[in-house]
Amino acid sequence: MARARWRSTTAAACATCAAALLLLCIGGFSRADAAGDSYSDLVTQAKPSHVHTEPLAVPSKTLMGPGPSTAHPRVLEAARLPLLGHLHGEFVKIMGEVQEQLRYAFQTQSRYVLAVSGTGHAAMEAAVANFVEPGDVVLVGVNGIWGERMSDLVERYMGVVVRMEKEGGKVFSGEDVERELTKEPKIKLVFLTHGESSTGTLQPLEGIGSICKKHGALFFLDTVCTLGCVPFNVDKHGVDITYSGSQKCLGAPPGASPLMVSSAAMDKLQSRKTKPFTYYFDINLLGEYWGFKDNPRWYHHTGMVSNVYALREALSILQDEGLGEAWARHREAAERLWDGLERMGLELFVEDVNERLPTVTTVKVPEGVDWKDVASHMMRKHKIEISGGLGPTAGKVWRIGIMGYNAAPQTVNRLLHALKEALDLYGGSFAKKEL
Ligand SMILES: Cc1ncc(COP(=O)(O)O)c(C=O)c1O
């Protein structure tokens, strides 16, 4: 009798074990899953087929397109530092250092400098959202995609765009700007792109700030592809609003975009009839976090801690080298590139050397050559990135970036050799000359 009871208990236990084993086999049953089971109603999406337990790995590439550019190893090291709270005293001190360094990079005494959370577009949109009120007339220089994009942004914020157009590869003169300002006295802002990365032009700035001032307009400049690489002085050039990017000339990761505002522009902001139609990018609120006023720091949104570390390191490298020296290094590297390209028989898209952007060179793709074959070979074989055209130059040019860490003779030489090899393979009937 006892034996029979034992047998049936054992059989029941075995059945339970077998069922448990079955579950284990079918469902990968574990303690964690058991705990998670109580939430099974809410976990309806299966895990990805591969759970990445190995550390993330990415290949190392030389980024010589229009951006991002290769970051300096010191900058990447800084980005790995432990997180601080974005209102911790140590972090607020770093923010203050970044502002000092940005004043140096921009060459301005303006108090109103900060880094906007987001890429260049974020700083661009922040500028428009704050300084363009509904009905404001804005003169936009359109000689590539950045003028086009600015026109779009201004209209989204209900400004009125007056387009001043030039074909891709050409720049605006002081006379062009003066003519438009005389024709339309209601213009409140004049927008130009210092480095037009879609066409490869460098906009001369001499005299434009004072023309704007004479006509009561603010001078609004995109310096995403020039800050830190190309001679520029906000105060001397009379610029009122300018934004840049971290991932181009400064060689930091994308995500913390410098913005500078003059006191004249701040006055315009204070006299707005309506609040800016943006909370995230409201410069008055951002200014309270970045210390524009002497108020205690205030939580607006979580500061991008690691990006600010990286930007601080990139700006320290720039300060250490010296702005004049950095400008000269970029110029020399660009001239080395232009010379090498011309010796290969290639033609540069921007003919006038004084209007050519040293940081992004546009090179005409020769007849019968597919730009993608060449760029793909350079990536496949040499891990060097160059890119194709954009907007008015799409399909017509390669764009080669010489920015920050990559503005070095050996890097330019490496690029020229890789390009020559690619052209030998994919250049078809293109007449190749010796380097
Ligand atoms: C001249 C110029 N302005 C603005 C931008 C936009 O910057 P981001 O792509 O960082 O948003 C770029 C990016 O290539 C640029 O070259």
Side-chain angles (χ1 to χ4, degrees), residues 66 119-122 124 146 193 195-197 222 224-225 243 245 247-248:
T119 65
H121 275 90
M124 187 175 182
W146 299 107
T193 308
E196 224 313 337
S197 58
D222 175 318
V224 172
C225 271
Y243 58 86
Q247 77 277 20
K248 309 257 183 179

